[in-house]
Amino acid sequence: YSLFREPGVDEVAYWYYQWANLDGKDIAKTKKKFAESIVCTGTLSGVAVFEHLAAADLHINPSLCESLNMVTVEAASVGTPTICSDRAGICHWIRQYDAGTVFESKNIQALTDAIIQAIYSPEMRTRWSISCRELAKEFSVERVAAMLVDCFVTLPNLRSRF
């Protein structure tokens, strides 16, 4: 977890990866290039969030526990797939839409394997990226508003039953 989140209270770090020129034949060389390709931007806001997410090949969300990660939805809206833990609230949608992959929380080897598999499988990342757009539609303002209206319409009818 500490590899993917900077220390500090409520400090969010966005990580993105540039995988060009990784060489799987020389593990030491690959690890060095891998480490050099991780960029910590610090806190971002506004358009910069989407610019960085759109430039990424992957969004990594190694949550230990959370309800719903809107950064993952933002990543999906620009076609960037997510590798997330099974403790992230968004994992249901990642699986449902095939918009990335889900690993077991606190399982560093599973996280590592998922990242490496994604790095070396551009076809899979492309498939995930295409699926991301459908995931993002689940959280559109129009869809959420329509669901809220349905709740308000249905609620009085439910009360009368009790």
Side-chain angles (χ1 to χ4, degrees):
Y1 187 70
S2 62
L3 294 175
F4 297 95
R5 187 172 169 104
E6 295 253 319
V9 179
D10 295 327
E11 182 180 338
V12 177
Y14 291 89
W15 297 84
Y16 67 95
Y17 300 85
Q18 300 166 341
W19 303 119
N21 303 317
L22 280 180
D23 183 359
K25 296 172 187 168
D26 181 346
I27 297 301
K29 185 177 176 184
T30 299
K31 284 182 178 179
K32 184 176 186 296
K33 285 183 180 180
F34 179 82
E36 291 170 353
S37 71
I38 297 174
V39 178
C40 179
T41 64
T43 302
L44 298 172
S45 62
V47 175
V49 172
F50 294 97
E51 289 173 343
H52 282 77
L53 289 171
D57 291 309
L58 293 170
H59 165 62
I60 312 298
N61 179 13
S63 295
L64 298 176
C65 180
E66 69 178 278
S67 57
L68 183 68
N69 186 292
M70 287 310 293
V71 177
T72 299
V73 175
E74 292 166 344
S77 74
V78 294
T80 301
T82 293
I83 295 175
C84 74
S85 78
D86 59 0
R87 301 296 299 257
I90 195 78
C91 74
H92 163 79
W93 286 273
I94 296 293
R95 285 181 176 133
Q96 179 181 343
Y97 286 95
D98 191 33
T101 192
V102 177
F103 67 93
E104 180 185 1
S105 179
K106 298 183 183 178
N107 185 335
I108 301 301
Q109 189 59 55
L111 171 58
T112 302
D113 292 346
I115 292 170
I116 290 170
Q117 182 181 12
I119 290 169
Y120 290 108
S121 182
E123 305 82 20
M124 184 170 59
R125 289 194 320 271
T126 299
R127 186 183 78 238
W128 288 346
S129 182
I130 292 166
S131 300
C132 282
R133 301 293 200 288
E134 293 304 311
L135 180 151
K137 288 179 187 176
E138 284 280 323
F139 299 92
S140 71
V141 172
E142 297 80 10
R143 185 170 188 286
V144 171
M147 290 174 68
L148 285 171
V149 168
D150 287 345
C151 286
F152 293 133
V153 168
T154 306
L155 188 61
N157 295 332
L158 290 176
R159 268 195 212 164
S160 64
R161 291 190 213 172
F162 297 102

